[in-house]
Amino acid sequence: MQNKLKKTYKFAIKTSLYITIFLTLFMSVFLYLSNAVNWEYIIAFFIICYITCFLITQYRVERFIYKRVKKIYDDLTLLESTSLINKPITTDMATLTQEIDKFARDKKLEIETLKVREEYRKEFLGNVSHELKTPLFTVQGYILTLLDGAMKDKKIREKYLNRANKGVERLIYIVKDLDMITKLEVGDLSLKVEEFDIIELVKNVFDLLEMKAAKKKITLTFDMDYQNPINVMADKERIQQVLTNLVVNSIKYGREKGTTEVSIENLIKNKVIVRVTDNGEGIEKVHIPRLFERFYRVDKSGSRKEGGSGLGLAIVKHIIEAHEEKIYIESEPAVGSEFSFTLEKAK
């Protein structure tokens, strides 16, 4: 830390003045009683006494406070307080008190943040363990059953191997999503920004998910008939992934014979907003702030009625933020949900 001393003279000025006035009055009374009053001598004494007291007081205060305050700063250095390390040591106790108070508030906030992160870390590790453990144990169960003798039966062998293969595919799916979200978070995944028609991209997503939606008799539709293309500037492949994840999510939690509707609207001069709306089960407000966390589930029962890695919405959020855009959610239980995100319009 720096050993530079930031001086303050308020204490020395006031203290020297009080001492000088007292000594001058005492001396004046003494001279008066001795019938030897000399005003020039008294004024000279006042000036000399004040200067002497000021210098001595200032020096002693600086040394006294410096030694003790320096120890405080040194102790704070152990806590790596950059806000205090980079400042000169001050003999102004009011300033020091403010700095210590600010330091204490910052540290309290930092500790609270660390506690929240620790809880999040524990929850995240628990979720990862749960997501990986289920397919692993499933695959292990089928393989052990085959090794115990079921392998001799051709029908059972084929059936169990197919089920084990599905478990492995789910593991690969989870690992790939984890790898992608890690790259998005650290900024290692580069975006290939290009101009494309967002209407055409939505139609492609509808075509890919048509059969999945048909199983629940859910209709995939636009809010209107778009006659003209709407060109945007973004990474086409990543935005397709965003749309796919959002539409798949709406199908998973959508009402049977319901509707998933996509709309594209002008937001401002150079922005459009894409909305994906469903009339499914909806989400309670208490869950919305954490909805984009990895593996966060609204259903806390520990079971997953629907497939997926549990990373879909987290990936969506990171892709949109990588484009320096915003994503929003509005939802009402038993009414439905609307996920929307912005994109830059092509010039």
Side-chain angles (χ1 to χ4, degrees), residues 123 127 131 249 253 281-305 310 313 329 331-334 337 339:
E123 186 176 346
N127 286 331
E131 295 296 332
N249 204 58
Y253 304 104
E281 57 191 59
I283 306 164
E284 296 283 351
K285 286 185 178 180
V286 67
H287 298 295
I288 290 178
R290 299 191 60 189
L291 205 59
F292 293 104
E293 290 181 13
R294 292 172 289 184
F295 296 119
Y296 182 77
R297 287 197 296 268
V298 174
D299 179 13
K300 297 296 183 181
S301 63
S303 63
R304 188 183 289 281
K305 294 185 293 183
L313 290 178
I329 175 173
S331 187
E332 189 174 339
S337 303
F339 289 84

Side-chain angles (χ1 to χ4, degrees), residues 101-345:
D101 287 343
K102 183 179 183 301
F103 171 80
R105 290 194 301 270
D106 291 344
K107 283 300 172 184
K108 183 180 179 182
L109 180 62
E110 185 178 335
I111 290 170
E112 290 174 352
T113 303
L114 288 173
K115 286 181 179 179
V116 171
R117 288 180 179 176
E118 177 64 14
E119 289 298 319
Y120 174 77
R121 185 188 67 82
K122 289 179 180 178
E123 186 176 346
F124 172 70
L125 290 176
N127 286 331
V128 171
S129 174
H130 173 77
E131 295 296 332
L132 295 177
K133 180 174 63 178
T134 304
L136 275 173
F137 285 174
T138 301
V139 172
Q140 185 185 42
Y142 288 131
I143 291 174
L144 289 175
T145 303
L146 291 171
L147 291 174
D148 285 342
M151 193 183 302
K152 297 176 182 179
D153 189 322
K154 184 178 179 180
K155 289 184 178 179
I156 294 178
R157 182 173 69 231
E158 185 176 351
K159 178 181 178 182
Y160 279 18
L161 285 174
N162 283 328
R163 289 183 178 179
N165 182 58
K166 288 182 180 179
V168 173
E169 286 178 352
R170 175 162 171 74
L171 281 172
I172 293 172
Y173 185 50
I174 293 171
V175 171
K176 281 184 176 179
D177 278 357
L178 275 172
D179 181 57
M180 174 174 287
I181 201 168
T182 301
K183 288 180 178 178
L184 284 166
E185 286 180 344
V186 300
D188 284 348
L189 195 65
S190 58
L191 299 176
K192 184 183 176 182
V193 178
E194 58 183 310
E195 181 178 341
F196 62 90
D197 180 9
I198 188 68
I199 301 295
E200 192 64 32
L201 189 65
V202 173
K203 288 179 180 178
N204 291 340
V205 172
F206 282 172
D207 290 341
L208 289 170
L209 300 174
E210 185 177 7
M211 292 182 65
K212 189 177 183 69
K215 291 180 181 179
K216 291 183 70 173
K217 299 179 181 179
I218 290 176
T219 303
L220 305 178
T221 183
F222 284 100
D223 65 320
M224 58 179 285
D225 185 16
Y226 291 92
Q227 299 291 336
N228 300 317
I230 300 177
N231 292 332
V232 297
M233 295 297 297
D235 186 318
K236 185 176 180 179
E237 183 180 346
R238 300 302 171 200
I239 297 302
Q240 179 169 337
Q241 187 176 9
V242 167
L243 288 167
T244 300
N245 286 352
L246 292 179
V247 174
V248 165
N249 204 58
S250 71
I251 293 171
K252 282 181 183 179
Y253 304 104
R255 185 182 305 165
E256 192 167 344
K257 297 181 181 179
T259 302
T260 293
E261 182 182 274
V262 175
S263 63
I264 298 97
E265 305 169 14
N266 288 320
L267 187 62
I268 54 177
K269 185 177 180 180
N270 64 330
K271 297 282 184 182
V272 296
I273 185 165
V274 182
R275 304 182 190 274
V276 179
T277 310
D278 65 64
N279 54 359
E281 57 191 59
I283 306 164
E284 296 283 351
K285 286 185 178 180
V286 67
H287 298 295
I288 290 178
R290 299 191 60 189
L291 205 59
F292 293 104
E293 290 181 13
R294 292 172 289 184
F295 296 119
Y296 182 77
R297 287 197 296 268
V298 174
D299 179 13
K300 297 296 183 181
S301 63
S303 63
R304 188 183 289 281
K305 294 185 293 183
E306 303 290 344
S309 65
L311 297 166
L313 290 178
I315 290 173
V316 164
K317 178 176 179 288
H318 282 291
I319 290 175
I320 295 302
E321 289 181 347
H323 283 80
E324 297 183 355
E325 300 292 347
K326 301 290 185 182
I327 185 164
Y328 309 95
I329 175 173
E330 294 180 13
S331 187
E332 189 174 339
V335 175
S337 303
E338 179 183 280
F339 289 84
S340 56
F341 60 91
T342 59
L343 287 175
E344 184 179 351
K345 290 173 67 175

Side-chain angles (χ1 to χ4, degrees), residues 61-98:
V61 165
E62 285 178 2
R63 300 309 302 168
F64 178 81
I65 295 179
Y66 178 81
K67 289 179 181 179
R68 286 154 182 78
V69 171
K70 184 178 182 300
K71 187 176 185 309
I72 295 175
Y73 276 76
D74 288 340
D75 291 341
L76 293 176
T77 303
L78 297 176
L79 300 174
E80 297 181 354
S81 173
T82 55
S83 62
L84 290 178
I85 293 171
N86 296 328
K87 290 184 178 180
I89 299 173
T90 177
T91 57
D92 186 350
M93 297 307 294
T95 302
L96 177 63
T97 303
Q98 291 175 1

